[in-house]
Amino acid sequence: MKSLFPTQLGRDAAIGAVIVIAMLAMPSLASKGFVFILGTLSLHIVFGLSWNLMFGQTGLVSFGHASFFAIGGYAYALTARLYPDLHPLLAFSGAGLFSAALALLVGMVALRRSLGVYFAILTLALSQIVYLVLSSIPALGREDGFTGIRRPMLDLGVVAIDLAQGNNYYYFIIVVSALLAALLWWVMHSRFGRAFRSIQQDPDRAAFLGINVQANRLAAFAIASGVTAVAGALYGPWLQLLTPEVAHWTFSARPILYALLGGVQSFWGPVVGAAGFAFLEYGTRTMHGFSEIIIGTILLIVVLVFPGGILGGLALLGKRVGSKVRNETRVEEAP
Amino acid sequence: MVDFIASPLFNGLFTAMVVFLFTTGLTLIFGILRVLNFAHGGFFMIGAYVAFTLVRAVGAQTSVLGYIGVSIVAGIVTGLCGIVVERVIFRPLQKVDESYSLIATYALLLITEGAVKSIWGVSFHSVAPPDVMNGAVFAGNLVMPIYALVIIALGVLSYALLEWILQHTETGKLMKSVASDPWMAGMLGVNVPRFYTYLVVAGFFMAGVAGGLLLPNQTLSPNLASTFVIQAFGALIVGGMGNIRGTFLAAILLCVVDSFGSLYFPAVPGLLFYIAMTLALLFRPQGLIAGARI
Amino acid sequence: MTYDFTRRELVKTLGVFGAAAALGTLSRPSRAQGDPIRLGLIAPLSGSQEIIGRYQLAGATIAVNQINQAGGVLGRQIELVTRDDKAAPAAGVAAAKDLAGSGVNLMFGILSSGVALAVAPTLADDKSVLVISAASANELTHEQFTRNLFRTSDHAYARQRALSKLVLGDFPDVLKWTAILPQTAISASNWDSFVDGMSQYSAEAGKPAEITEALWCKFGATDYKNEIAQLMRSDCEGLYCGVYGGDAVTMFGQAAAYGLTKKFKVLVDPGSEFIIANAMGKNTPPGLWSGFHWYHGAYEGHKINDDLYAAYVKATNDPHPAGYVGETHASVLAYASAIQKAGGTETEQVIAALEDLEFDSCKGMRKIRKEDHQAICDLNFVQFGPDESDQGWKVTSHRIIKDEGVSEEPTPGTPIVLKYKKA
């Protein structure tokens, strides 16, 4: 391992490439139902990764991350309905930018006033407002949802791809998700990321060292919200429907679950967590009446046995085995 | 006047006391252990089901004494669950980040829902208040159901009792000292781990009692677990760092505002609760009662 | 990766649902006669609507077993494959895709209109057929019409108009109506349909009804006192209680102290069926008329009805099958007769056979309209009241309304047009 990938970038790029290639190969290997679950999973992974940009990097806990997923989704669906000729890439990125701008506004007020569990509950309250408002607007289909969201035609100048055909939209989701994940990776490992981490470790010391704690947290919040919104925008045409459930607090709990289950210290934590959770759900889907107990028990065991998440636990095991890989990997023991 | 002020005020107060009764145990555990217990609603629900089973066993809810007694038995059952939860989940997770106990209690919530389904099934049930609490007091146009008056009285009473314990008894002083500095309390000879066990049991006991007391208020089903969770978190955090007085005031503030909201802004029911919550957190970011723990 | 629901799994699952004993004696699907015909049931088998999913599973299981005991269809046995939609759109689409991916092209079930609306547009791509057994949104046979979707159960427009016809017949002088509704699209659609029928039938009788603006409340609310207080001030005589299921139980429980049920002369409910009475026992609101998918008591003497009822009671020991039991049962019967008629199970064959299909079911003959794929069938209603028995309530009356001019003309692809708009 060590000699093969001397840098973090090399190692993570290799892991990412393997995952993306495996995902792209799936439609020819697995059934439609499984492919649908994988497409949904890749959006959930982006959802989890972006949440962990806030938590794992700057220590910010949001209980309302789903509201930006929903805002992105509805913004895209509405734009696509009102301006059917708009280029889909513009519509998707527009939904992301709109949500990032919204997050910037909210964050400017909210982050100044509150932190920690207060910020968490504040985001929870805001997301409940989004949920209730989405459920009550007739033009957005109320709680029955926004129906008839089409998969668009993607005109790339040289070639036009009809995303409604076959598995094209699935490939599109995988590629865009990979790009979003790469963007998040880049943010974490850039100067931003270093500032973020010093804030997470000790905000007072970071401030003393001249890092603008406020601005950095705000940036993390806006980037995470924008990225999540793009995932939400992609989700609408995938399901061909959006319901206010995507703004509900139980959906906001998902990225938290993914990140903590997988391990917040590693970039790959939310990926492992989301995949693990999807695997659990898929595995228990015919165990009618028992799924809650099985999922709950497995979650509980994982948390009790690996309090640093799955990756944190594995890293700990790896360390115990006695090798000195510690310097190379960022996967650290949980605090 | 009555229709548009007194009636929503009364109904808001009632909901506030419902939320407060639900939240007391949550507040206690959050105030001292710093664990936001997602599974609280699950044990509230188990309390309600235990009370329901007892009520069915004797036929119907008849006397006030029976109503209180059944609720206390429900509390004892959930309190016993608390011992196990403390040993198996809270104590091992005390050493790691708080966030992990969040996920553990979420898992526990799923387990309680599954357990309730396999023990009691998925049917809806409903229990009427004891006969003496049926009916209402009419003051002009204002209708005050007797059961609602009882719940308001119970809410205020439990608040007064908890406040008295915290402020005027040795136990209360001990709780405060452990809450503010467990390490120092340990140095001074307090058996902190055992204290935590008692505390969790007390918190779970309150969840069960609330389940029993509020049983006649709403339908019993496995969905009950997550019914009050968000409102409870709101009251808890708007109140302050999990202190009882703050929770009490916050519950009243949020629920009364929401009650007026349902009358004046019927298009989006429930919206005003969260708007009030947002504003409260923005203007009093440390909570209504800042600084004080429990 | 696929996991099929074999008979052993089915018995195991139904054992959880308290039905194992009755199913233990059933014949084993014989594979010697060729591959079994696989039908996919999509129902909420976990989550907040699990209570209804269990009824849907029971009805489907009974139908499949009855058909298999009688020799199957085209000499082949039927195998039931089940998937959980959790009453959530995303899980529903995943379930439908999962079924299509494992070669099950014929599906049925679906309780929630949201799930049905999400699954509908995916059917054509996956070359699947879906027969809706409960979801009642009008949109499914109108603006969201797709030729791969059929509905063998009644839809909101027909049921709520039939309800208005019933109460106008019984209480011709109760003309002032209002409603309490949760903030959901299906509730709004139910109420609009009821108002449409109420306005039409009362005008035809020469005494037009007066409709007062409905009162909206939160779906899943725990407190209805403000709404109840407002209703107590209303001068209406008829109350349309759109709050349903567990919420209705909460609301009626809280309303008892106010005397709400005494204030209104007539109380109707769009479709809580046995839920309110079962939960409330002797506190059941007297005189409440409830819409039913199927009420077994109304069809005594009809063999399909009696056999289904007997099989259900034997399997579950529950004497009160909800209408959902009958609706999934009917969907399986519809598939059986369509497959028989078509001579095969290919998607296009089955679609052609289902169009214009007339088949007998637990509530008598149903006819699927060729144009919009909506079944025209009886509409069932039951009136409840408290009594002194152990269960604390009884059925005080029941009624069948024939669909003669109750349903709209088929207009697939375009929204339903209400003849009478609310004032």
Side-chain angles (χ1 to χ4, degrees), chain A residues 25-103:
Chain A
M26 272 305 161
S28 41
L29 299 174
S31 77
K32 282 175 198 160
F34 194 71
V35 169
F36 181 79
I37 288 168
L38 281 184
T40 312
L41 170 63
S42 74
L43 297 177
H44 279 224
I45 286 176
V46 174
F47 190 30
L49 282 174
S50 63
W51 183 86
N52 202 34
L53 175 73
M54 296 185 284
F55 180 71
Q57 301 285 305
T58 70
L60 212 52
V61 182
S62 166
F63 274 2
H65 205 42
S67 56
F68 290 102
F69 192 92
I71 289 170
Y74 277 87
Y76 170 79
L78 199 62
T79 315
R81 178 186 285 176
L82 295 177
Y83 308 101
D85 295 331
L86 193 68
H87 196 283
L89 290 183
L90 270 181
F92 283 122
S93 37
L97 290 175
F98 170 71
S99 305
L102 204 63

Side-chain angles (χ1 to χ4, degrees), chain A residues 55 61 63 109-110 113-115 117-118 121-122 124-126 128-130 132-133 136 249-250 253-254 256-261 263-265 277 289-293 295-297 299-300 303-304 306-309 334-335, chain B residues 30 36 38 88-89 92-93 95-97 99-111 113-115 117-118 226 229-230 233-234 237-238 240-241 267-271 274-275 277-278 281-287:
Chain A
F55 180 71
V61 182
F63 274 2
V109 182
R113 305 290 302 184
S114 62
L115 271 178
V117 71
Y118 295 103
I121 299 291
L122 184 64
L124 176 69
L126 288 170
Q128 284 295 98
I129 293 174
V130 171
L132 289 172
V133 169
S136 66
W249 70 267
T250 45
R254 285 305 188 91
I256 306 178
L257 219 53
Y258 297 157
L260 294 176
L261 188 62
V264 293
Q265 296 300 317
F277 205 79
F290 289 119
S291 52
E292 286 99 344
I293 289 197
I295 293 179
T297 309
L299 276 182
L300 199 57
V303 173
L304 291 175
F306 296 133
Chain B
F30 182 76
L36 202 46
F38 254 109
V88 178
I89 300 176
L93 290 181
K95 295 184 286 287
V96 297
D97 193 88
S99 323
Y100 292 99
S101 33
L102 193 71
I103 186 172
T105 59
Y106 179 81
L108 192 58
L109 175 70
L110 292 180
I111 295 173
E113 284 179 1
K117 276 203 276 185
S118 42
S226 40
V229 163
I230 300 300
F233 282 4
I237 303 301
V238 167
M241 290 298 266
V268 191
L271 186 65
Y274 299 106
I275 291 183
M277 193 168 144
T278 308
L281 284 169
L282 285 178
F283 288 105
R284 304 258 332 166
Q286 295 306 309

Side-chain angles (χ1 to χ4, degrees), chain A residues 3 5 23 25 55 59 152 154 183 227 286 334:
Chain A
S3 54
F5 302 109
M23 294 280 246
F55 180 71
L154 186 64
L183 171 72
V227 168
T286 51

Side-chain angles (χ1 to χ4, degrees), chain A residues 225-286:
Chain A
S225 303
V227 168
T228 281
V230 177
L234 289 166
Y235 187 62
W238 180 234
L239 196 58
Q240 291 167 281
L241 172 95
L242 271 175
T243 58
E245 289 301 306
V246 293
H248 197 253
W249 70 267
T250 45
F251 196 53
S252 287
R254 285 305 188 91
I256 306 178
L257 219 53
Y258 297 157
L260 294 176
L261 188 62
V264 293
Q265 296 300 317
S266 159
F267 174 81
W268 299 104
V271 182
V272 172
F277 205 79
F279 180 74
L280 265 184
E281 281 200 316
Y282 190 72
T284 58
R285 75 199 188 288
T286 51

Side-chain angles (χ1 to χ4, degrees), chain C residues 113-137:
Chain C
S113 291
V115 175
L117 289 166
V119 173
T122 69
L123 296 169
D125 277 354
D126 294 342
K127 300 189 177 54
S128 304
V129 187
L130 173 64
V131 172
I132 298 282
S133 323
S136 65

Side-chain angles (χ1 to χ4, degrees), chain B residues 94-157:
Chain B
Q94 195 82 92
K95 295 184 286 287
V96 297
D97 193 88
E98 287 161 11
S99 323
Y100 292 99
S101 33
L102 193 71
I103 186 172
T105 59
Y106 179 81
L108 192 58
L109 175 70
L110 292 180
I111 295 173
T112 57
E113 284 179 1
V116 161
K117 276 203 276 185
S118 42
I119 299 173
W120 284 283
V122 292
S123 298
F124 295 107
H125 298 288
S126 152
V127 170
D131 293 338
V132 286
M133 294 183 205
N134 277 318
V137 176
F138 294 82
N141 263 351
L142 177 64
V143 187
M144 294 182 287
I146 296 170
Y147 174 69
L149 289 169
V150 170
I151 290 296
I152 293 179
L154 283 172
V156 174
L157 260 172

Side-chain angles (χ1 to χ4, degrees), chain C residues 380-394:
Chain C
N380 292 185
F381 299 94
V382 169
Q383 191 184 36
F384 292 101
D387 82 343
E388 293 306 312
S389 66
D390 270 355
Q391 67 179 15
W393 57 272
K394 63 171 187 253

